[in-house]
Amino acid sequence: MYSRAYKATVTIPPLLWVTAFLLAPYAILFCYSFWSVSSVQVIVHNWNLQNYAQLFRNPLYLTVLLRSIRIAGAVTLLALLLGYPLAYYLSFHAARRKDLLYQLVIIPLWASYLVRGYAWKTILGSDGVLNGFLQYLHITHRPVEFFLYSPFAVILTLTHIYTPFTFLPIYASLEHVPRNLVEASHDLGASPFSTFVRVILPLSLPGILAGATFAFVLTLGDFLAPLLVGGPSGIMISNIVVSLFGAAYNWPLGAAISFCMLLLVVTLLFATERLEKRFTIS
Amino acid sequence: MNVAQSSVRAEHPSAEPLLSIQKVEKCFAKRAVLCGISLDVASGEFLTILGESGSGKTTLLRLIAGFEQLDGGELWMAGERLDNIPAYRRQVNTVFQSYAIFPHLSVSENVAYGLRAKNVPRNEIPSRVAQALAMVKMSEFAQSAPSRLSGGQQQRVALARALVNRPRVLLLDEPLSALDANLRRQMQVELKSLQREVGITFIFVTHDQEEAMALSDRIALLRAGRLEQVAEPREIYGNPRTAYAAQFIGQTNLLRAEVRDGTATAGSIAWPTAGASGPATFSLRPESIRLASETHQVVSAAHATAHFRGQIRNQTFGGALDLLEIDYGNSHFIRARIPNPGPLMGQQNFEFDAADAVRLLETSDA
């Protein structure tokens, strides 16, 4: 049994922290979403639902939101397709190279996000590395423009940036698959492929879900990659929020969009956590 | 699956052994774990590989199952080379020490796993699963999740999951070691009767010599990667080849004696023996020693009984048998197990049959 004083000392500081830096800002954000901006660029506290109505009336917002979801879905899929085989190889077949390869996956996480974004700008640009290479090989004769400033560039960049985040939980879940279950499966006559489908894959589902959630949620809220390599056709929902809070000076509308995004992400996290629990077997 | 098959006994292995282990070698990180193991296992036999931890017994089992690759030697099953077939094509099933029940599948799905993997006709699977679960008395748990089963129940599921495939050889890796003493004894009896019932060859790994003696047709005693002795339990107990075998299987007294002209002498004890002169070590089981009445001191040639006098140093009541520690001179102790002797004190006369003192093979470490 812990004393009341002890319980208070360990619980009150984090509670204060969460209240001051999370709950209060969200509450303020929530309030803002019901206010409006007057013609002289002043935020007026007249409570109304105009911002939310506009969200659904103006096709721009829904288009960009759907595009963001599509991009997030594509990044999630690619990150899974890249991350799972890598995690599987590392966990089951890398043997002595395991530690080295693991570090190689982790190291990019230490490099600044911006640096990696700019690197793709350099690679994909019209006089960039990729175009130079293609022209050198005489595959193309003039710079290909659509590499950069397109949803494609955003997907590529974000896949590169978020694959390690997908890899890590998958790798962790694969490491937790008891190896004697794999042996038992072989022992019972299941081929390596069948063992993968019937034992390893089902037991790594929690890791897949966690990894997919990381990639999806992080991509959905990303605004730097579209800014750097997205161009007008690669704009995502966060870019709109940024501009509403900045140049466009419409904090209430920005708050409404933010709050909808927050709701979407929290619902998603809640759902995947429930699913993860269902697939996790003690 | 009938009683007739159970009469296939292993006393005289037939010309063609079911499983032949030939000069098998295995190293881990350049350290030899198994050094030239050769062993034939007959069809329907219950063979126990007995050894301390680190003796290589589990490694030998894993080689037969196909989880490890040989570094030397060959494995043959029913006239076919076994060691170059992958684990999933061997007609061998394993009961793992930790059971290795698939946690994401129900009990019946676990048991059906091997049948599905081998493409057994779908309509045949449910009845075979039900039959296997009935055999291990787990029918009522068919739909349960494995996490809700006790260790003993998981053990039974593991057994059913292996036996449902009707393997030619069933490998059991210390399957009872995680169970408590009572359940363990009960499972030993069930395991033995199950083996008789199905007539499948069992290769059973354990470090428990009592378990080995209770269950096995033959015991292969493994020590540091080498076979110390392979024999029936009675033979290995009654005629251990080495001091290690004598001490590992049951309790014994090791008598370091000098043999001269057909008589062995260890301190104040002397008994007739055949064999070459010179120093020798004998094994004398504690229960071979009896109390002798003083009037029968004459050595009869026909029975060749050895007599000695000793000081009782310690008597431990043990129910049916009392354990005595006897000082037979110069603080040389010998232990005896004697049925219901009543309280004993001071000097007593003891005797044993000379044939019960087994001369052991001299090994460097005896």
Side-chain angles (χ1 to χ4, degrees):
Chain A
M1 278 301 279
Y2 296 108
S3 72
R4 281 184 134 196
Y6 175 82
K7 278 189 198 161
T9 20
V10 294
T11 47
I12 288 173
L15 264 176
L16 282 177
W17 200 93
V18 167
T19 311
F21 297 111
L22 276 171
L23 295 180
Y26 284 149
I28 295 168
L29 188 81
F30 191 58
C31 291
Y32 263 99
S33 73
F34 296 105
W35 297 337
S36 57
V37 184
S38 75
S39 51
V40 288
Q41 297 278 297
V42 174
I43 292 163
V44 282
H45 300 184
N46 58 336
W47 299 81
N48 63 74
L49 288 167
Q50 283 308 306
N51 296 317
Y52 291 96
Q54 201 182 345
L55 242 173
F56 292 98
R57 248 197 332 262
N58 189 337
L60 169 74
Y61 300 124
L62 279 181
T63 311
V64 175
L65 180 65
L66 283 178
R67 180 195 297 149
S68 302
I69 290 172
R70 270 203 309 275
I71 289 177
V75 169
T76 304
L77 196 69
L78 287 172
L80 284 178
L81 287 177
L82 288 170
Y84 198 99
L86 185 66
Y88 178 81
Y89 174 77
L90 246 72
S91 185
F92 281 89
H93 299 294
R96 271 176 302 143
R97 281 160 299 187
K98 200 170 182 171
D99 289 340
L100 176 72
L101 287 170
Y102 183 80
Q103 290 306 324
L104 286 179
V105 177
I106 299 306
I107 281 171
L109 292 179
W110 299 345
S112 161
Y113 177 106
L114 269 176
V115 170
R116 284 177 285 164
Y118 273 111
W120 280 108
K121 209 177 160 102
T122 314
I123 293 169
L124 300 174
S126 54
D127 49 357
V129 179
L130 184 59
N131 268 315
F133 183 66
L134 288 176
Q135 286 174 68
Y136 172 77
L137 290 179
H138 297 288
I139 294 172
T140 56
H141 299 289
R142 63 180 69 86
V144 178
E145 300 286 349
F146 67 79
F147 287 149
L148 199 55
Y149 304 126
S150 64
F152 163 77
V154 176
I155 290 169
L156 192 65
T157 305
L158 289 178
T159 301
H160 170 234
I161 289 171
Y162 291 134
T163 295
F165 289 92
T166 312
F167 161 86
L168 282 172
I170 294 174
Y171 178 74
S173 73
L174 286 173
E175 285 286 282
H176 277 110
V177 173
R179 294 311 189 254
N180 65 5
L181 295 185
V182 178
E183 284 178 352
S185 174
H186 289 167
D187 187 76
L188 292 165
S191 66
F193 177 74
S194 170
T195 299
F196 173 77
V197 173
R198 297 176 62 190
V199 177
I200 298 170
L201 192 63
L203 290 176
S204 62
L205 265 181
I208 296 176
L209 273 170
T213 310
F214 269 132
F216 191 85
V217 169
L218 289 173
T219 304
L220 197 63
D222 197 273
F223 79 99
L224 262 173
L227 205 66
L228 289 173
V229 299
S233 64
I235 275 188
M236 286 170 71
I237 196 77
S238 300
N239 299 101
I240 290 183
V241 174
V242 168
S243 82
L244 285 172
F245 274 93
Y249 196 70
N250 192 343
W251 287 25
L253 185 56
I257 297 178
S258 300
F259 199 77
C260 287
M261 293 295 290
L262 189 69
L263 215 63
L264 183 69
V265 166
V266 168
T267 313
L268 205 70
L269 288 176
F270 187 74
T272 51
E273 202 187 301
R274 287 285 296 272
L275 273 178
E276 269 176 57
K277 279 214 181 100
R278 246 189 72 193
F279 290 122
T280 306
I281 298 126
S282 51
Chain B
M1 315 261 169
N2 53 38
V3 188
Q5 271 177 295
S6 70
S7 63
V8 180
R9 293 261 61 102
E11 274 90 71
H12 306 286
S14 52
E16 171 100 353
L18 178 65
L19 178 71
S20 185
I21 300 164
Q22 296 176 1
K23 294 180 185 143
V24 159
E25 287 175 22
K26 180 70 190 172
C27 306
F28 286 121
K30 291 181 182 162
R31 195 176 60 85
V33 176
L34 293 173
C35 327
I37 302 284
S38 291
L39 183 63
D40 283 351
V41 186
S43 181
E45 182 173 9
F46 195 128
L47 177 91
T48 296
I49 302 170
L50 177 65
E52 297 170 316
S53 57
S55 59
K57 55 191 192 304
T58 296
T59 304
L60 184 56
L61 206 69
R62 291 174 59 80
L63 286 168
I64 300 169
F67 305 143
E68 306 281 354
Q69 299 305 308
L70 300 186
D71 290 329
E74 291 170 4
L75 291 173
W76 291 78
M77 184 184 276
E80 281 174 33
R81 188 78 182 265
L82 187 70
D83 53 78
N84 43 22
I85 301 177
Y88 58 91
R89 293 221 186 90
R90 298 188 187 189
Q91 288 178 299
V92 169
N93 284 120
T94 307
V95 176
F96 292 82
Q97 185 172 10
S98 51
Y99 319 137
I101 302 293
F102 301 118
H104 59 301
L105 302 177
S106 73
V107 165
S108 62
E109 285 169 332
N110 261 281
V111 177
Y113 192 94
L115 300 176
R116 294 225 174 95
K118 290 191 194 100
N119 292 319
V120 169
R122 281 197 169 273
N123 54 3
E124 217 180 283
I125 293 175
S127 64
R128 279 179 69 173
V129 168
Q131 197 187 342
L133 284 174
M135 195 164 63
V136 296
K137 305 185 183 94
M138 285 294 288
S139 302
E140 57 184 302
F141 296 98
Q143 300 313 318
S144 301
S147 56
R148 298 180 61 186
L149 302 182
S150 71
Q153 289 168 333
Q154 291 195 30
Q155 176 64 67
R156 287 163 191 270
V157 175
L159 205 56
R161 187 179 69 175
L163 284 173
V164 76
N165 304 295
R166 296 170 192 158
R168 301 183 96 151
V169 175
L170 184 72
L171 307 172
L172 302 104
D173 186 7
E174 306 218 22
L176 309 180
S177 63
L179 307 181
D180 61 63
N182 283 331
L183 192 57
R184 196 181 167 107
R185 233 161 281 135
Q186 185 196 335
M187 281 300 285
Q188 283 177 8
V189 175
E190 285 188 31
L191 207 56
K192 183 69 189 169
S193 61
L194 198 64
Q195 193 258 343
R196 290 214 178 100
E197 191 184 315
V198 296
I200 289 171
T201 305
F202 276 32
I203 299 181
F204 185 92
V205 158
T206 185
H207 63 269
D208 182 334
Q209 45 96 9
E210 276 181 43
E211 195 166 275
M213 285 197 283
L215 292 173
S216 321
D217 294 321
R218 275 197 308 161
I219 295 173
L221 180 61
L222 202 59
R223 179 196 189 189
R226 288 171 210 279
L227 282 175
E228 192 83 0
Q229 188 169 7
V230 183
E232 291 162 37
R234 279 175 211 285
E235 171 68 16
I236 208 167
Y237 186 81
N239 278 310
R241 268 181 70 236
T242 62
Y244 181 82
Q247 284 178 305
F248 195 80
I249 297 175
Q251 288 182 318
T252 198
N253 295 295
L254 290 184
L255 298 173
R256 291 179 215 290
E258 190 67 30
V259 179
R260 193 163 297 147
D261 304 326
T263 303
T265 314
S268 63
I269 312 175
W271 64 95
T273 180
S277 296
T281 306
F282 288 81
S283 161
L284 182 64
R285 299 286 180 195
E287 67 274 16
S288 302
I289 298 169
R290 302 181 295 266
L291 278 170
S293 51
E294 287 184 62
T295 49
H296 291 287
Q297 281 264 4
V298 187
V299 176
S300 95
H303 278 294
T305 307
H307 293 261
F308 66 96
R309 230 175 128 67
Q311 176 83 28
I312 310 277
R313 278 295 151 90
N314 205 350
Q315 179 173 12
T316 311
F317 178 66
L321 293 169
D322 279 17
L323 178 67
L324 302 179
E325 279 177 37
I326 305 156
D327 182 349
Y328 62 94
N330 301 325
S331 292
H332 284 97
F333 287 94
I334 195 165
R335 280 172 301 169
R337 286 187 184 279
I338 294 177
N340 304 313
L344 294 173
M345 267 187 283
Q347 293 277 324
Q348 297 287 341
N349 289 309
F350 297 94
E351 63 175 23
F352 60 89
D353 293 342
D356 286 337
V358 179
R359 187 167 180 171
L360 302 172
L361 210 67
E362 287 301 314
T363 50
S364 52
D365 48 58

